[in-house]
Amino acid sequence: MTFPRVTAAVFVLLFIGCFALLGVGSVVLVGPSLTHSTKTDHDAGVINHINSDMSFTLTMANGKTVSFQCADRCKTALGHMQRHKAENAKTDVYYIAEANNTFLALDVD
């Protein structure tokens, strides 16, 4: 009599696990576009320099260096950016490309 109950418990746990994986996967795929916008791009690298006007340069894994201007939300992350710079930690930047090859950083993590 315990075998059907164990089977049912395993089935329920697998069922819940599948829905959890689908939920997490959809948030990972759609999350950045929901919090920022559909026009937002993403780069990752190491912060080299932070200027007094909160603009900063990011060196990506391929060696390319990109300069960003901070938006309002980005400016609140100064302490976080300074820690990433001091630790040479990987930094994710969500940005919008503007005119004249200017990149406006919306969020830095």
XYZ file of all heavy atoms in Angstrom:
823
model
N 0.809 -1.190 0.000
C 0.000 0.000 0.000
C 0.864 1.271 0.000
O 0.415 2.302 -0.447
C -0.906 -0.032 1.242
C -1.973 0.990 1.237
S -3.401 0.161 0.600
C -4.628 1.332 0.640
N 2.099 1.196 0.500
C 2.951 2.385 0.541
C 3.538 2.709 -0.818
O 3.884 3.855 -1.082
C 4.090 2.203 1.556
O 4.878 1.087 1.177
C 3.547 2.038 2.951
N 3.697 1.732 -1.679
C 4.290 1.992 -2.983
C 3.505 3.011 -3.803
O 4.109 3.934 -4.369
C 4.483 0.681 -3.746
C 5.185 0.868 -5.053
C 6.525 1.218 -5.087
C 4.503 0.731 -6.246
C 7.178 1.409 -6.292
C 5.147 0.923 -7.450
C 6.489 1.258 -7.471
N 2.162 2.935 -3.896
C 1.418 3.964 -4.644
C 1.556 5.349 -4.019
O 1.615 6.359 -4.733
C -0.027 3.488 -4.596
C 0.049 2.031 -4.378
C 1.282 1.812 -3.535
N 1.657 5.425 -2.704
C 1.806 6.720 -2.047
C 3.181 7.322 -2.328
O 3.296 8.526 -2.557
C 1.601 6.587 -0.544
C 0.165 6.315 -0.183
C -0.020 6.232 1.294
N -1.418 5.974 1.608
C -1.872 5.744 2.791
N -1.046 5.739 3.823
N -3.147 5.522 2.987
N 4.194 6.497 -2.320
C 5.543 6.986 -2.638
C 5.597 7.445 -4.086
O 6.167 8.497 -4.405
C 6.595 5.892 -2.351
C 7.958 6.289 -2.886
C 6.659 5.592 -0.865
N 4.998 6.686 -4.974
C 4.952 7.063 -6.381
C 4.220 8.395 -6.568
O 4.674 9.272 -7.312
C 4.262 5.967 -7.209
O 4.940 4.737 -7.001
C 4.267 6.303 -8.683
N 3.109 8.553 -5.878
C 2.353 9.800 -5.981
C 3.162 10.971 -5.425
O 3.174 12.064 -6.011
C 1.037 9.664 -5.230
N 3.861 10.767 -4.323
C 4.679 11.834 -3.731
C 5.802 12.234 -4.682
O 6.073 13.428 -4.876
C 5.238 11.382 -2.387
N 6.462 11.263 -5.293
C 7.533 11.555 -6.247
C 6.966 12.302 -7.450
O 7.557 13.279 -7.932
C 8.252 10.256 -6.676
C 9.167 10.499 -7.870
C 9.028 9.673 -5.509
N 5.822 11.876 -7.943
C 5.203 12.541 -9.083
C 4.851 13.998 -8.750
O 5.106 14.899 -9.548
C 3.942 11.776 -9.519
C 3.230 12.425 -10.665
C 3.726 12.327 -11.961
C 2.060 13.150 -10.462
C 3.083 12.939 -13.015
C 1.408 13.763 -11.507
C 1.915 13.650 -12.784
N 4.296 14.238 -7.575
C 3.937 15.597 -7.172
C 5.183 16.465 -7.057
O 5.202 17.625 -7.501
C 3.136 15.577 -5.850
C 3.022 16.966 -5.247
C 1.751 14.997 -6.087
N 6.253 15.949 -6.459
C 7.494 16.707 -6.333
C 8.085 17.034 -7.703
O 8.566 18.156 -7.939
C 8.506 15.958 -5.476
C 8.177 15.881 -3.982
C 9.179 14.997 -3.260
C 8.134 17.272 -3.378
N 8.078 16.082 -8.619
C 8.569 16.339 -9.979
C 7.696 17.362 -10.699
O 8.205 18.227 -11.425
C 8.632 15.037 -10.776
C 9.754 14.075 -10.400
C 9.606 12.770 -11.168
C 11.103 14.704 -10.671
N 6.404 17.273 -10.499
C 5.472 18.223 -11.107
C 5.733 19.638 -10.604
O 5.816 20.594 -11.392
C 4.042 17.767 -10.781
C 2.976 18.446 -11.578
C 2.846 18.202 -12.944
C 2.082 19.306 -10.961
C 1.858 18.816 -13.678
C 1.086 19.929 -11.696
C 0.975 19.683 -13.053
N 5.895 19.797 -9.306
C 6.196 21.109 -8.720
C 7.553 21.610 -9.206
O 7.718 22.786 -9.533
C 6.140 21.040 -7.176
C 4.712 20.813 -6.720
C 6.714 22.307 -6.551
C 4.579 20.510 -5.236
N 8.543 20.721 -9.276
C 9.880 21.098 -9.753
C 9.864 21.591 -11.189
O 10.544 22.563 -11.534
N 9.090 20.939 -12.041
C 8.997 21.367 -13.445
C 8.392 22.762 -13.552
O 8.891 23.599 -14.308
C 8.166 20.372 -14.247
S 9.011 18.813 -14.547
N 7.334 23.025 -12.796
C 6.737 24.359 -12.826
C 7.689 25.403 -12.260
O 7.747 26.535 -12.747
C 5.403 24.383 -12.081
C 4.248 23.929 -12.920
C 3.568 22.767 -12.617
C 3.859 24.656 -14.025
C 2.515 22.345 -13.395
C 2.799 24.249 -14.813
C 2.122 23.075 -14.501
N 8.454 25.047 -11.243
C 9.425 25.990 -10.684
C 10.500 26.320 -11.706
O 10.892 27.485 -11.864
C 10.049 25.416 -9.414
N 10.998 25.314 -12.413
C 12.016 25.557 -13.443
C 11.470 26.416 -14.576
O 12.172 27.294 -15.087
C 12.554 24.239 -13.986
C 13.517 23.501 -13.070
C 13.900 22.151 -13.669
C 14.758 24.331 -12.818
N 10.238 26.171 -14.981
C 9.625 27.007 -16.022
C 9.477 28.448 -15.551
O 9.732 29.383 -16.315
C 8.262 26.449 -16.416
C 8.273 25.212 -17.302
C 6.854 24.655 -17.453
C 8.855 25.545 -18.654
N 9.084 28.637 -14.313
C 8.941 29.991 -13.774
C 10.262 30.726 -13.693
O 10.382 31.874 -14.111
N 11.290 30.065 -13.183
C 12.609 30.691 -13.071
C 13.182 30.975 -14.457
O 13.739 32.035 -14.708
C 13.560 29.795 -12.245
C 14.987 30.284 -12.333
C 13.110 29.742 -10.803
N 13.030 30.044 -15.371
C 13.539 30.248 -16.729
C 12.875 31.411 -17.435
O 13.536 32.197 -18.117
N 11.578 31.570 -17.248
C 10.897 32.696 -17.898
C 11.319 34.025 -17.290
O 11.457 35.018 -18.001
C 9.385 32.521 -17.825
O 8.960 32.526 -16.476
N 11.558 34.066 -15.992
C 12.021 35.303 -15.362
C 13.417 35.655 -15.846
O 13.730 36.818 -16.106
C 11.977 35.192 -13.821
C 12.704 36.333 -13.156
C 10.538 35.134 -13.346
N 14.283 34.673 -15.998
C 15.646 34.925 -16.481
C 15.619 35.478 -17.905
O 16.367 36.404 -18.238
C 16.490 33.635 -16.404
C 17.785 33.768 -17.187
C 16.780 33.281 -14.958
N 14.756 34.949 -18.735
C 14.697 35.399 -20.126
C 14.008 36.742 -20.294
O 14.438 37.576 -21.079
C 13.984 34.348 -20.983
C 14.735 33.045 -21.201
C 13.857 32.048 -21.953
C 16.023 33.280 -21.949
N 12.934 36.970 -19.566
C 12.111 38.146 -19.780
C 12.391 39.252 -18.757
O 12.104 40.413 -19.003
C 10.614 37.757 -19.762
C 9.714 38.939 -19.995
C 10.346 36.685 -20.791
N 12.991 38.925 -17.632
C 13.193 39.864 -16.538
C 13.848 41.182 -16.909
O 13.305 42.249 -16.608
N 15.026 41.171 -17.552
C 15.672 42.448 -17.877
C 14.828 43.362 -18.767
O 14.824 44.573 -18.584
C 16.954 42.029 -18.591
C 17.251 40.678 -18.058
C 15.906 40.049 -17.842
N 14.094 42.798 -19.705
C 13.277 43.653 -20.572
C 12.066 44.208 -19.821
O 11.560 45.269 -20.160
C 12.837 42.900 -21.820
O 12.006 41.821 -21.468
N 11.610 43.526 -18.781
C 10.489 44.042 -17.997
C 10.937 45.172 -17.079
O 10.210 46.141 -16.887
C 9.865 42.924 -17.155
C 9.074 41.870 -17.907
C 8.612 40.782 -16.945
C 7.885 42.482 -18.604
N 12.110 45.059 -16.484
C 12.554 46.074 -15.543
C 13.151 47.292 -16.233
O 13.161 48.372 -15.656
C 13.589 45.509 -14.565
O 14.688 44.983 -15.297
C 12.991 44.439 -13.692
N 13.650 47.146 -17.444
C 14.295 48.271 -18.126
C 13.454 48.714 -19.326
O 12.761 49.688 -19.266
C 15.721 47.899 -18.542
C 16.566 47.477 -17.386
N 16.899 48.321 -16.361
C 17.133 46.298 -17.084
C 17.645 47.689 -15.482
N 17.796 46.456 -15.892
N 13.559 48.024 -20.422
C 12.719 48.245 -21.602
C 13.152 47.235 -22.648
O 14.152 46.554 -22.492
C 12.844 49.671 -22.140
O 14.047 49.824 -22.857
N 12.409 47.186 -23.732
C 12.762 46.248 -24.787
C 13.939 46.755 -25.612
O 14.544 45.990 -26.346
C 11.567 46.003 -25.718
O 11.102 47.257 -26.210
C 10.446 45.300 -24.971
N 14.277 48.038 -25.492
C 15.398 48.609 -26.245
C 16.712 48.520 -25.468
O 17.728 49.016 -25.915
C 15.106 50.074 -26.574
C 13.911 50.250 -27.477
C 13.639 51.702 -27.735
C 12.381 51.860 -28.577
N 12.040 53.261 -28.787
N 16.696 47.904 -24.315
C 17.877 47.823 -23.468
C 18.810 46.726 -23.946
O 18.379 45.623 -24.276
C 17.455 47.541 -22.014
O 16.559 48.547 -21.600
C 18.640 47.521 -21.097
N 20.101 47.042 -23.981
C 21.121 46.050 -24.297
C 21.894 45.730 -23.025
O 21.786 46.424 -22.017
C 22.082 46.594 -25.355
C 21.437 46.695 -26.721
O 20.657 45.784 -27.067
O 21.707 47.673 -27.429
N 22.707 44.692 -23.096
C 23.457 44.235 -21.920
C 24.910 43.971 -22.317
O 25.185 43.404 -23.366
C 22.825 42.943 -21.389
C 23.638 42.275 -20.339
N 24.462 41.217 -20.620
C 23.775 42.519 -19.018
C 25.061 40.841 -19.503
N 24.658 41.611 -18.516
N 25.822 44.423 -21.484
C 27.239 44.095 -21.617
C 27.765 43.708 -20.247
O 27.203 44.107 -19.225
C 28.058 45.283 -22.144
C 28.097 45.329 -23.663
O 27.910 44.275 -24.286
O 28.305 46.417 -24.211
N 28.841 42.960 -20.236
C 29.471 42.570 -18.972
C 30.977 42.712 -19.122
O 31.532 42.460 -20.182
C 29.101 41.136 -18.620
N 31.612 43.131 -18.050
C 33.061 43.289 -18.066
C 33.543 43.818 -16.735
O 32.875 43.662 -15.712
N 34.704 44.461 -16.755
C 35.333 44.991 -15.544
C 35.413 46.512 -15.671
O 35.833 47.030 -16.701
C 36.732 44.382 -15.355
C 37.419 44.966 -14.148
C 36.646 42.869 -15.240
N 35.016 47.219 -14.610
C 35.080 48.682 -14.612
C 36.527 49.114 -14.454
O 37.205 48.690 -13.522
C 34.217 49.275 -13.481
C 32.751 48.962 -13.735
C 34.423 50.782 -13.389
C 31.828 49.425 -12.621
N 37.005 49.951 -15.391
C 38.378 50.460 -15.340
C 38.480 51.772 -14.591
O 39.383 51.966 -13.788
C 38.923 50.707 -16.753
C 39.133 49.427 -17.497
O 39.212 48.362 -16.914
N 39.200 49.522 -18.802
N 37.557 52.683 -14.907
C 37.673 54.042 -14.393
C 36.279 54.623 -14.183
O 35.389 54.420 -15.000
C 38.468 54.904 -15.385
C 38.745 56.285 -14.896
N 39.639 56.544 -13.897
C 38.224 57.476 -15.262
C 39.660 57.852 -13.668
N 38.810 58.440 -14.490
N 36.105 55.347 -13.063
C 34.863 56.059 -12.800
C 35.204 57.535 -12.693
O 36.019 57.931 -11.859
C 34.196 55.575 -11.491
C 33.920 54.077 -11.551
C 32.902 56.353 -11.245
C 33.441 53.482 -10.245
N 34.607 58.362 -13.559
C 34.859 59.804 -13.559
C 33.982 60.512 -12.535
O 33.023 59.940 -12.018
C 34.605 60.382 -14.956
C 35.547 59.788 -15.979
O 36.722 59.603 -15.728
N 34.987 59.461 -17.135
N 34.286 61.768 -12.274
C 33.524 62.543 -11.296
C 32.085 62.802 -11.748
O 31.197 62.999 -10.924
C 34.222 63.873 -11.016
O 34.327 64.617 -12.204
N 31.831 62.776 -13.060
C 30.463 62.970 -13.560
C 29.694 61.654 -13.651
O 28.645 61.587 -14.253
C 30.484 63.672 -14.917
C 31.146 62.828 -15.997
O 31.792 61.812 -15.664
O 31.018 63.195 -17.181
N 30.242 60.602 -13.035
C 29.654 59.262 -12.975
C 29.701 58.520 -14.312
O 29.067 57.485 -14.459
C 28.203 59.299 -12.475
C 28.044 59.673 -11.026
S 28.599 58.411 -9.899
C 27.518 57.072 -10.300
N 30.440 59.031 -15.282
C 30.675 58.232 -16.475
C 31.771 57.227 -16.119
O 32.571 57.451 -15.217
C 31.086 59.109 -17.645
O 32.280 59.790 -17.365
N 31.768 56.096 -16.803
C 32.758 55.063 -16.490
C 33.095 54.267 -17.736
O 32.375 54.306 -18.731
C 32.247 54.143 -15.371
C 31.012 53.356 -15.725
C 31.096 52.068 -16.192
C 29.754 53.926 -15.566
C 29.959 51.352 -16.506
C 28.606 53.227 -15.876
C 28.712 51.930 -16.341
N 34.238 53.590 -17.683
C 34.657 52.736 -18.790
C 34.628 51.294 -18.329
O 34.951 50.978 -17.189
C 36.063 53.097 -19.292
O 36.975 52.999 -18.215
C 36.091 54.494 -19.877
N 34.231 50.434 -19.244
C 34.093 49.009 -18.981
C 34.901 48.246 -20.014
O 34.779 48.501 -21.209
C 32.614 48.625 -19.082
C 32.223 47.212 -18.720
C 32.148 47.078 -17.200
C 30.875 46.861 -19.323
N 35.769 47.343 -19.551
C 36.518 46.478 -20.457
C 35.854 45.111 -20.465
O 35.723 44.469 -19.419
C 37.986 46.341 -20.023
O 38.572 47.637 -20.005
C 38.752 45.457 -20.987
N 35.438 44.676 -21.659
C 34.748 43.399 -21.789
C 35.756 42.266 -21.949
O 36.952 42.490 -22.096
C 33.783 43.466 -22.958
C 32.653 44.436 -22.697
S 31.478 44.536 -24.025
C 32.294 45.706 -25.072
N 35.277 41.038 -21.936
C 36.141 39.864 -22.006
C 36.942 39.815 -23.308
O 38.069 39.313 -23.321
C 35.300 38.593 -21.871
N 36.398 40.377 -24.387
C 37.108 40.363 -25.670
C 38.144 41.484 -25.773
O 38.781 41.652 -26.791
C 36.114 40.449 -26.832
C 35.304 41.734 -26.842
O 35.528 42.642 -26.047
N 34.346 41.793 -27.751
N 38.296 42.294 -24.692
C 39.295 43.353 -24.676
C 38.783 44.709 -25.133
O 39.485 45.709 -25.026
N 37.568 44.759 -25.637
C 36.983 46.017 -26.103
C 36.623 46.894 -24.907
O 36.061 46.429 -23.920
C 35.730 45.716 -26.927
C 35.067 46.930 -27.514
C 33.826 46.512 -28.302
C 33.058 47.734 -28.742
N 31.787 47.368 -29.374
N 36.952 48.185 -24.980
C 36.636 49.144 -23.925
C 35.487 50.033 -24.390
O 35.535 50.582 -25.481
C 37.861 49.999 -23.573
O 38.912 49.130 -23.159
C 37.549 50.966 -22.462
N 34.476 50.167 -23.538
C 33.290 50.955 -23.866
C 33.062 51.973 -22.752
O 33.211 51.657 -21.570
C 32.043 50.043 -24.000
C 30.813 50.847 -24.373
C 32.283 48.950 -25.013
N 32.705 53.201 -23.142
C 32.406 54.260 -22.176
C 30.903 54.399 -22.021
O 30.158 54.330 -23.003
C 32.986 55.590 -22.639
O 34.385 55.510 -22.668
N 30.459 54.611 -20.786
C 29.042 54.750 -20.468
C 28.806 56.029 -19.689
O 29.643 56.438 -18.887
C 28.555 53.573 -19.612
C 28.554 52.259 -20.320
C 29.636 51.415 -20.227
C 27.466 51.860 -21.074
C 29.649 50.187 -20.869
C 27.461 50.650 -21.728
C 28.553 49.814 -21.623
N 27.650 56.650 -19.915
C 27.165 57.763 -19.100
C 26.098 57.191 -18.172
O 25.284 56.385 -18.595
C 26.541 58.857 -19.975
C 27.491 59.506 -20.935
C 28.524 60.356 -20.205
O 28.242 60.966 -19.197
N 29.734 60.366 -20.731
N 26.074 57.617 -16.916
C 25.114 57.094 -15.947
C 23.776 57.821 -16.021
O 23.732 59.050 -16.050
C 25.658 57.234 -14.530
S 26.459 55.755 -13.942
N 22.690 57.053 -16.007
C 21.353 57.612 -15.842
C 21.079 57.743 -14.338
O 21.920 57.378 -13.515
C 20.320 56.696 -16.502
N 19.917 58.253 -13.981
C 19.589 58.471 -12.564
C 19.678 57.191 -11.738
O 20.232 57.183 -10.647
C 18.185 59.073 -12.431
C 18.133 60.498 -12.946
O 19.187 61.160 -12.961
O 17.041 60.938 -13.344
N 19.123 56.119 -12.236
C 19.136 54.855 -11.488
C 20.552 54.333 -11.325
O 20.896 53.755 -10.299
C 18.270 53.837 -12.213
C 18.124 52.546 -11.481
C 17.112 51.660 -12.160
N 17.065 50.367 -11.529
C 16.268 49.401 -11.896
N 15.435 49.590 -12.884
N 16.284 48.252 -11.286
N 21.379 54.543 -12.311
C 22.773 54.112 -12.248
C 23.545 54.906 -11.198
O 24.416 54.373 -10.521
C 23.400 54.272 -13.631
S 25.171 54.088 -13.693
N 23.210 56.182 -11.042
C 23.943 57.038 -10.106
C 23.765 56.600 -8.659
O 24.609 56.879 -7.819
C 23.514 58.495 -10.277
C 24.000 59.081 -11.577
C 23.578 60.521 -11.752
C 24.094 61.030 -13.087
N 23.698 62.395 -13.357
N 22.689 55.898 -8.360
C 22.481 55.413 -6.997
C 23.374 54.224 -6.678
O 23.489 53.834 -5.525
C 21.011 55.005 -6.782
O 20.685 53.943 -7.671
C 20.079 56.183 -6.997
N 24.027 53.655 -7.670
C 24.857 52.468 -7.486
C 26.348 52.801 -7.402
O 27.193 51.956 -7.662
C 24.612 51.485 -8.627
N 26.699 54.033 -7.023
C 28.110 54.437 -6.992
C 28.932 53.552 -6.066
O 30.006 53.084 -6.442
C 28.248 55.903 -6.585
C 29.689 56.407 -6.455
C 30.424 56.289 -7.782
C 29.716 57.831 -5.944
N 28.459 53.295 -4.864
C 29.193 52.448 -3.935
C 29.411 51.050 -4.484
O 30.491 50.462 -4.353
N 28.388 50.522 -5.128
C 28.475 49.193 -5.736
C 29.499 49.191 -6.878
O 30.307 48.268 -6.999
C 27.093 48.796 -6.250
C 26.984 47.393 -6.700
N 26.970 46.331 -5.832
C 26.885 46.868 -7.944
C 26.870 45.201 -6.529
N 26.818 45.504 -7.808
N 29.483 50.244 -7.681
C 30.436 50.349 -8.788
C 31.868 50.476 -8.271
O 32.789 49.861 -8.817
C 30.081 51.545 -9.674
C 28.803 51.366 -10.456
S 28.200 52.875 -11.242
C 29.580 53.385 -12.215
N 32.062 51.258 -7.214
C 33.405 51.419 -6.660
C 33.927 50.102 -6.086
O 35.105 49.791 -6.224
C 33.402 52.505 -5.579
C 33.233 53.886 -6.151
C 33.041 54.952 -5.091
O 32.592 54.674 -3.980
N 33.378 56.193 -5.439
N 33.050 49.327 -5.466
C 33.464 48.023 -4.946
C 33.851 47.096 -6.090
O 34.873 46.413 -6.027
C 32.341 47.402 -4.112
C 32.751 46.070 -3.492
C 31.641 45.491 -2.650
N 30.421 45.226 -3.383
C 30.213 44.141 -4.117
N 31.152 43.226 -4.245
N 29.061 43.963 -4.732
N 33.072 47.082 -7.156
C 33.398 46.249 -8.317
C 34.733 46.664 -8.926
O 35.522 45.823 -9.342
C 32.286 46.340 -9.361
C 31.187 45.360 -9.136
N 30.808 44.440 -10.076
C 30.377 45.156 -8.067
C 29.816 43.712 -9.617
N 29.530 44.133 -8.390
N 34.988 47.974 -8.975
C 36.251 48.469 -9.524
C 37.418 48.035 -8.650
O 38.438 47.564 -9.145
C 36.218 49.990 -9.649
C 37.485 50.586 -10.233
C 37.377 52.098 -10.304
C 38.628 52.710 -10.861
N 39.746 52.683 -9.946
N 37.271 48.165 -7.339
C 38.357 47.804 -6.417
C 38.651 46.302 -6.447
O 39.803 45.885 -6.334
C 38.006 48.239 -4.999
N 37.625 45.497 -6.633
C 37.779 44.038 -6.628
C 38.010 43.462 -8.019
O 38.189 42.247 -8.157
C 36.529 43.397 -6.025
C 36.305 43.741 -4.579
C 34.996 43.202 -4.040
O 34.225 42.594 -4.824
O 34.746 43.374 -2.843
N 37.991 44.305 -9.057
C 38.055 43.843 -10.450
C 36.997 42.771 -10.715
O 37.256 41.764 -11.369
C 39.446 43.325 -10.812
C 40.438 44.438 -10.962
O 40.096 45.543 -11.365
N 41.690 44.158 -10.619
N 35.821 43.010 -10.186
C 34.727 42.049 -10.312
C 33.977 42.237 -11.625
O 33.927 43.334 -12.182
C 33.753 42.225 -9.144
N 33.400 41.152 -12.115
C 32.579 41.213 -13.327
C 31.356 42.083 -13.042
O 30.694 41.930 -12.017
C 32.133 39.820 -13.739
C 31.282 39.820 -14.979
C 30.758 38.441 -15.299
C 29.765 38.559 -16.419
N 28.691 37.610 -16.310
N 31.079 43.006 -13.936
C 29.989 43.957 -13.765
C 29.047 43.863 -14.955
O 29.486 43.902 -16.106
C 30.548 45.392 -13.660
O 31.528 45.421 -12.626
C 29.462 46.382 -13.354
N 27.761 43.735 -14.676
C 26.736 43.730 -15.716
C 26.190 45.134 -15.873
O 25.849 45.791 -14.883
C 25.595 42.783 -15.347
C 26.035 41.329 -15.325
O 26.621 40.893 -16.327
O 25.794 40.650 -14.315
N 26.104 45.602 -17.111
C 25.590 46.940 -17.401
C 24.430 46.807 -18.385
O 24.571 46.207 -19.446
C 26.684 47.851 -18.005
C 26.120 49.228 -18.320
C 27.870 47.952 -17.077
N 23.284 47.353 -17.995
C 22.123 47.427 -18.874
C 22.045 48.859 -19.372
O 22.025 49.793 -18.572
C 20.850 47.031 -18.125
C 20.885 45.583 -17.675
C 21.350 45.237 -16.419
C 20.480 44.575 -18.534
C 21.406 43.911 -16.017
C 20.530 43.247 -18.148
C 20.993 42.916 -16.887
O 21.052 41.609 -16.498
N 22.021 49.037 -20.691
C 22.159 50.384 -21.258
C 21.297 50.556 -22.500
O 20.794 49.586 -23.075
C 23.621 50.664 -21.605
C 24.160 49.783 -22.707
C 24.146 50.213 -24.032
C 24.685 48.534 -22.436
C 24.630 49.416 -25.042
C 25.172 47.725 -23.440
C 25.147 48.169 -24.743
O 25.621 47.359 -25.748
N 21.163 51.828 -22.883
C 20.485 52.198 -24.124
C 21.491 52.942 -24.995
O 22.167 53.855 -24.520
C 19.270 53.104 -23.848
C 18.223 52.343 -23.060
C 18.670 53.635 -25.143
C 17.025 53.185 -22.656
N 21.603 52.534 -26.250
C 22.477 53.228 -27.194
C 21.753 54.478 -27.693
O 20.614 54.418 -28.149
C 22.826 52.317 -28.358
N 22.431 55.621 -27.561
C 21.854 56.890 -27.992
C 22.625 57.418 -29.203
O 23.515 56.770 -29.717
C 21.887 57.891 -26.836
C 20.990 57.490 -25.688
C 20.890 58.560 -24.635
O 21.856 59.324 -24.459
O 19.831 58.634 -23.996
N 22.276 58.625 -29.617
C 22.924 59.240 -30.783
C 24.410 59.471 -30.508
O 24.846 59.546 -29.366
C 22.238 60.556 -31.112
N 25.168 59.616 -31.560
C 26.608 59.893 -31.501
C 27.390 58.818 -30.745
O 28.364 59.116 -30.055
C 26.877 61.267 -30.871
C 26.243 62.381 -31.663
O 26.114 62.278 -32.882
N 25.814 63.427 -30.989
N 26.944 57.567 -30.861
C 27.641 56.436 -30.245
C 27.807 56.626 -28.732
O 28.839 56.300 -28.160
C 28.996 56.211 -30.923
C 29.434 54.776 -30.811
O 28.630 53.887 -30.542
N 30.708 54.541 -31.023
N 26.791 57.173 -28.078
C 26.780 57.363 -26.635
C 25.930 56.270 -26.002
O 24.848 55.955 -26.499
C 26.180 58.737 -26.277
O 26.926 59.738 -26.941
C 26.213 58.979 -24.782
N 26.433 55.688 -24.920
C 25.722 54.629 -24.233
C 25.291 55.119 -22.862
O 26.119 55.524 -22.043
C 26.587 53.373 -24.105
C 27.033 52.842 -25.437
C 28.354 52.946 -25.836
C 26.130 52.247 -26.287
C 28.759 52.455 -27.062
C 26.521 51.751 -27.513
C 27.850 51.859 -27.905
N 23.982 55.087 -22.592
C 23.429 55.551 -21.335
C 23.149 54.340 -20.438
O 22.252 53.534 -20.726
C 22.141 56.337 -21.587
C 21.457 56.924 -20.361
C 22.357 57.979 -19.713
C 20.127 57.528 -20.746
N 23.930 54.189 -19.370
C 23.789 53.051 -18.465
C 22.572 53.263 -17.576
O 22.475 54.234 -16.846
C 25.046 52.898 -17.625
N 21.623 52.319 -17.655
C 20.432 52.394 -16.828
C 20.639 51.702 -15.480
O 20.175 52.193 -14.461
C 19.254 51.726 -17.556
C 18.874 52.309 -18.895
C 17.786 51.472 -19.531
C 18.446 53.739 -18.738
N 21.326 50.589 -15.504
C 21.513 49.810 -14.284
C 22.882 49.140 -14.330
O 23.297 48.633 -15.373
C 20.415 48.759 -14.178
C 20.309 48.164 -12.794
O 20.936 48.705 -11.862
O 19.589 47.158 -12.645
N 23.587 49.172 -13.207
C 24.901 48.550 -13.096
C 24.847 47.556 -11.955
O 24.473 47.892 -10.845
C 26.002 49.611 -12.820
C 27.337 48.945 -12.675
C 26.023 50.631 -13.936
N 25.192 46.309 -12.245
C 25.156 45.286 -11.212
C 26.385 44.406 -11.302
O 26.709 43.842 -12.259
C 23.882 44.453 -11.351
C 23.739 43.467 -10.224
O 24.202 43.754 -9.128
O 23.125 42.413 -10.462
